[in-house]
Structures are given as structure tokens and as C-alpha cells.
């Protein structure tokens, strides 16, 4: 079932999230976002091919990856936007509460 490839790729991307948590730099966030999108694209499209939605040939696999490119573009853009929003919001909130009693709990 393709769902195993989908959720498996989400699990793998979660491990990347643990890495970026310790490397919160602009480059770290952007590169992890792009790598996450690429991993999801590669794993899920392979799963679609492996489940028989395309011919079980090298050309079938290539066709699967080519036809998935529009989804890769949209997913990567969305991942970058959400990363900017969520990491940006976190940093803004962290700056506001850094010197308050909430800092222990929130940061």
C-alpha cells in the first residue's frame, strides 16, 4: 500500500526535524526543507511505481518521477513557506518571552 511509503517518508523527515532543531540557522532550515521535500518526492513516487500504478520497468519509474515533478515544485514551495512562517513565528515569540517567567516553559 502506498500509505506505507507516505508515512515512512514522514517518519524519515521527522528525524531531519530533530537535526534542524539543533541547527536553527537560515541555511540549516532552508536546506532541511528542500531535502525533506526531495526525500518525500523520491520515496512516495517510488512507492507509486512499486505498487503497480506504472509499468514495472525503468521507463515506468522514470515516467512516474517525471509526472510527479509538478507536485515536487508545489510541495517544496509550500514547505519553504511553512518553514519560514513557523520558524519565524517561533523566533518572534522567543524574543518576546526570553526575559519573562514563561521562558522556562516555552523555550
Amino acid at each position: 500500500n502506498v500509505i506505507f511509503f507516505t508515512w515512512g517518508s514522514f517518519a524519515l523527515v521527522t528525524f531531519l526535524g530533530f537535526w534542524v532543531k539543533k541547527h536553527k540557522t537560515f541555511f540549516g532550515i532552508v536546506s532541511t526543507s528542500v531535502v525533506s521535500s526531495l526525500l518525500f518526492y523520491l520515496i512516495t513516487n517510488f512507492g507509486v511505481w512499486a505498487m503497480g500504478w506504472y509499468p514495472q520497468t525503468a521507463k515506468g519509474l522514470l515516467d512516474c518521477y517525471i509526472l510527479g515533478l509538478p507536485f515536487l515544485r508545489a510541495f517544496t514551495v509550500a514547505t519553504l513557506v511553512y518553514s519560514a512562517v513557523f520558524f519565524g513565528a517561533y523566533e518572534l515569540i522567543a524574543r518576546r518571552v526570553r526575559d519573562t517567567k514563561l521562558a522556562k516553559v516555552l523555550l
Side-chain angles (χ1 to χ4, degrees), residues 68-89:
L69 285 173
F71 298 101
L72 172 63
R73 181 180 51 228
F75 191 75
T76 302
V77 168
T79 301
L80 289 168
V81 168
Y82 280 107
S83 294
V85 169
F86 288 127
F87 279 100

Side-chain angles (χ1 to χ4, degrees), residues 34-107:
V34 171
V35 168
S36 297
S37 293
L38 286 172
L39 278 174
F40 183 80
Y41 165 77
L42 292 171
I43 293 169
T44 57
N45 277 292
F46 179 81
V48 166
W49 173 79
M51 293 292 112
W53 294 18
Y54 290 87
Q56 299 291 300
T57 62
K59 183 182 180 331
L61 181 60
L62 183 62
D63 287 346
C64 182
Y65 281 123
I66 289 171
L67 291 171
L69 285 173
F71 298 101
L72 172 63
R73 181 180 51 228
F75 191 75
T76 302
V77 168
T79 301
L80 289 168
V81 168
Y82 280 107
S83 294
V85 169
F86 288 127
F87 279 100
Y90 174 84
E91 285 304 317
L92 287 174
I93 292 167
R95 287 181 187 171
R96 306 259 300 147
V97 300
R98 192 162 279 140
D99 297 325
T100 68
K101 292 178 183 179
L102 293 175
K104 276 187 179 178
V105 177
L106 297 175
L107 306 176

Side-chain angles (χ1 to χ4, degrees), residues 13-32:
V13 166
T14 300
F15 290 114
L16 290 174
F18 288 121
W19 178 85
V20 80
K21 182 178 177 182
K22 295 179 182 179
H23 300 90
K24 285 189 280 185
T25 64
F26 178 79
F27 179 75
I29 293 167
V30 170
S31 62
T32 303

